[in-house]
């Protein structure tokens, strides 16, 4: 395969999708093969959407900034990029076939990884369910200035992201809402039902399978959670997807001023005569491991709400809560919030069971909390352990709000 390098000279033109090929792209771009020595500016600003296809290679300078509504899709080899900065409403898609230098598929490494000023970065797990992996030295999600546009790292499936220093600003979000198991998929889904909520740590509405049993039973590990939430049942329309799973490892510090949200998706209403609403997805997993943990943001792994159908008997049930765990070896000055609630009753049937929130960090040592907040009228239980014969040992157990 040819080594392909793209050049853009910042001239304005109409948007078009550009694949990595050996042909000329347009009057304002050129493609250079490996036989030509080439240099590229470190600022990619264009109305062109660039696709590095599987098997192709895009060679960049050490610092690559993607700005001004540019879209870069990486299905192949992204080479030479030490630092990736995505901003000004631009989009970068890190596909599960792509990679950076000297790494396998769905593995990316950057010294600095910055998503700011309305930038969006998307990740996908592998076809076989393997997690997407990003490793960095410094990660910042969100702009530093108050009032800047919301910036997101969006997770589909499972993501493992490791960094020396990790920061999510008040204008930043790691978003895996509904990005886990799809409707009627996952071990906590009930494929034969048309209105059940998905299960994870909390049991979804209208499910009765024992813990750990597929087809609706709760599952997962409260202390080291890495499992995705299961999808809600499909009525006349698709149910809510389960929440994605994210593992965030920060060797030195994790500062959270924004949000990390792996909640399940809401079920959908069905309009039309005698239509059946769909169930909410279960919350996914948030696992944080760091030395120091600070900030005033929030972590979420709540279930999605069930929806309302044509009339009362056509309502659906909500999803169960997911799992959150925070481990730190040093200081804890975090003043924010945790949410791992069952999906709200809303306009549907009863809410889902509470999820689990585990902390082993600072003065919150070996502490497990179940809090169902404002879920309302939950009749579903929660599974702390994934094995009925296991023994639970904790320094502190907190139960709140009908958990």
């Amino acid at each position: 395969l040819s080594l392909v390098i793209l050049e853009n000279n910042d001239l304005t033109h109409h948007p078009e999708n550009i694949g990595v090929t050996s042909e000329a792209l347009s009057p304002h771009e050129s493609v250079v093969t490996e036989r030509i020595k080439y240099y590229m500016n470190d600022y990619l600003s264009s109305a062109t959407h660039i696709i590095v296809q599987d098997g192709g290679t895009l060679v960049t300078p050490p610092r690559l900034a993607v700005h001004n509504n540019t879209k870069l899709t990486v299905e192949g080899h992204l080479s030479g990029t030490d630092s990736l900065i995505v901003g000004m409403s631009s989009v970068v898609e890190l596909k599960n076939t792509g990679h950076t230098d000297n790494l396998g598929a769905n593995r990316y490494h950057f010294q600095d990884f910055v998503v700011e000023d309305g930038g969006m970065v998307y990740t996908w797990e592998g076809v076989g369910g393997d997690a997407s992996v990003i490793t960095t030295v410094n990660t910042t999600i969100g702009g530093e200035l108050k009032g800047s546009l919301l910036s997101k790292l969006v997770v589909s499936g499972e993501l493992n992201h490791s960094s020396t220093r990790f920061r999510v600003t008040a204008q930043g979000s790691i978003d895996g809402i509904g990005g886990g198991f799809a409707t009627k998929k996952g071990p906590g889904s009930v494929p034969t039902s048309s209105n059940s909520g998905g299960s994870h740590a909390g049991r979804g509405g209208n499910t009765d399978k024992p813990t750990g049993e597929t087809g609706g039973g709760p599952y997962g590990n409260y202390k080291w959670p890495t499992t995705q939430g299961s999808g809600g049942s499909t009525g006349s329309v698709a149910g809510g997807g389960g929440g994605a799973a994210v593992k965030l490892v920060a060797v030195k510090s994790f500062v959270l001023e924004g949000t990390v949200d792996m909640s399940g998706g809401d079920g959908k209403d069905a309009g039309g005569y005698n239509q059946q609403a769909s169930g909410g997805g279960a919350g996914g997993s948030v696992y944080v491991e760091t030395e120091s943990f600070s900030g005033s943001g929030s972590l979420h792994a709540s279930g999605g709400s069930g929806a309302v159908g044509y009339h009362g008997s056509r309502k659906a049930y909500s999803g169960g809560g997911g799992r959150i765990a925070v481990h730190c070896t040093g200081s804890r000055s975090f003043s924010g919030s945790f949410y791992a609630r069952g999906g709200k009753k809303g306009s549907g049937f009863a809410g889902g069971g509470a999820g689990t929130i585990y902390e082993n960090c600072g003065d919150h040592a070996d502490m497990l909390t179940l809090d169902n907040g404002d879920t309302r009228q939950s009749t579903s239980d929660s599974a702390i352990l994934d094995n009925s014969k296991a023994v639970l040992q904790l320094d502190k157990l907190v139960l709140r709000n009908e958990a």
Side-chain angles (χ1 to χ4, degrees):
L1 294 174
S2 295
L3 176 64
V4 178
I5 305 172
L6 295 182
E7 172 191 16
N8 184 277
N9 59 9
D10 280 340
L11 296 181
T12 302
H13 53 279
H14 296 293
E16 56 182 304
N17 289 328
I18 301 300
V20 175
T21 70
S22 59
E23 300 176 357
L25 303 182
S26 82
H28 305 311
E29 289 83 27
S30 62
V31 172
V32 184
T33 70
E34 59 188 353
R35 293 171 296 179
I36 300 177
K37 191 173 181 179
Y38 178 75
Y39 297 92
M40 175 179 171
N41 291 330
D42 66 355
Y43 187 81
L44 179 59
S45 175
S46 169
T48 300
H49 302 322
I50 298 174
I51 303 172
V52 185
Q53 296 173 343
D54 190 7
T57 301
L58 172 64
V59 178
T60 78
R63 180 181 182 274
L64 177 62
V66 183
H67 281 183
N68 288 345
N69 297 291
T70 299
K71 182 177 181 180
L72 172 63
T73 299
V74 183
E75 299 173 357
H77 183 185
L78 184 64
S79 180
T81 309
D82 287 339
S83 297
L84 178 64
I85 301 96
V86 184
M88 296 175 66
S89 302
S90 291
V91 173
V92 171
E93 296 180 332
L94 301 177
K95 295 285 191 174
N96 56 23
T97 56
H99 60 95
T100 52
D101 292 335
N102 303 313
L103 296 175
N106 215 7
R107 302 290 189 268
Y108 297 89
H109 176 76
F110 307 102
Q111 291 291 312
D112 296 302
F113 180 74
V114 179
V115 187
E116 59 186 4
D117 299 330
M120 304 278 282
V121 174
Y122 292 83
T123 67
W124 287 264
E125 69 176 7
V127 175
D130 295 335
S132 176
V133 176
I134 299 175
T135 58
T136 69
V137 176
N138 300 297
T139 293
T140 302
I141 310 297
E144 299 289 349
L145 298 177
K146 184 177 181 179
S148 61
L149 295 174
L150 179 66
S151 306
K152 288 186 177 183
L153 172 61
V154 181
V155 182
S156 292
E158 185 179 351
L159 169 66
N160 293 343
H161 190 141
S162 300
S163 185
T164 303
R165 288 166 288 275
F166 207 121
R167 177 178 174 83
V168 183
T169 76
Q171 289 75 42
S173 174
I174 302 177
D175 184 347
I177 301 172
F181 288 111
T183 179
K184 299 180 71 172
K185 301 293 184 181
S189 182
V190 186
T192 58
S193 172
S194 62
N195 67 354
S196 298
S199 296
H200 189 185
R203 185 183 299 278
N206 196 30
T207 62
D208 58 6
K209 292 284 187 179
T211 297
E213 185 171 323
T214 59
Y219 58 95
N221 190 303
Y222 77 91
K223 190 175 286 189
W224 297 285
T226 58
T227 40
Q228 301 166 41
S230 292
S233 294
T234 295
S236 300
V237 289
V246 65
K247 180 179 180 180
L248 305 172
V249 177
V251 176
K252 290 295 184 181
S253 61
F254 187 86
V255 181
L256 178 62
E257 300 292 352
T259 61
V260 178
D261 197 340
M262 300 293 125
S263 294
D266 292 336
K268 298 177 179 62
D269 291 335
Y273 177 73
N274 210 30
Q275 297 293 293
Q276 171 65 54
S278 60
S285 291
V286 180
Y287 175 25
V288 176
E289 184 178 301
T290 186
E291 180 177 310
S292 67
F293 181 48
S294 63
S296 58
S298 57
L299 298 97
H300 304 250
S302 294
S305 296
V308 63
Y310 178 71
H311 51 68
S313 65
R314 294 296 191 176
K315 293 179 180 180
Y317 291 84
S318 298
R323 298 188 184 275
I324 298 173
V326 176
H327 299 256
C328 76
T329 57
S331 63
R332 181 192 189 278
S333 57
F334 183 70
S335 60
S337 304
F338 300 86
Y339 300 91
R341 303 168 177 177
K344 294 182 181 180
K345 175 179 179 292
S347 56
F349 284 136
T356 57
I357 302 167
Y358 179 75
E359 296 178 81
N360 193 19
C361 182
D363 57 355
H364 289 214
D366 199 25
M367 173 178 172
L368 180 65
T369 301
L370 281 73
D371 182 353
N372 226 10
D374 56 353
T375 293
R376 294 190 294 137
Q377 296 185 16
S378 173
T379 59
S380 300
D381 58 4
S382 304
I384 296 175
L385 300 171
D386 55 3
N387 186 328
S388 61
K389 296 182 180 180
V391 177
L392 177 66
Q393 293 182 318
L394 293 165
D395 283 355
K396 188 174 184 180
L397 175 64
V398 179
L399 303 177
R400 297 193 183 107
N401 297 312
E402 301 180 4

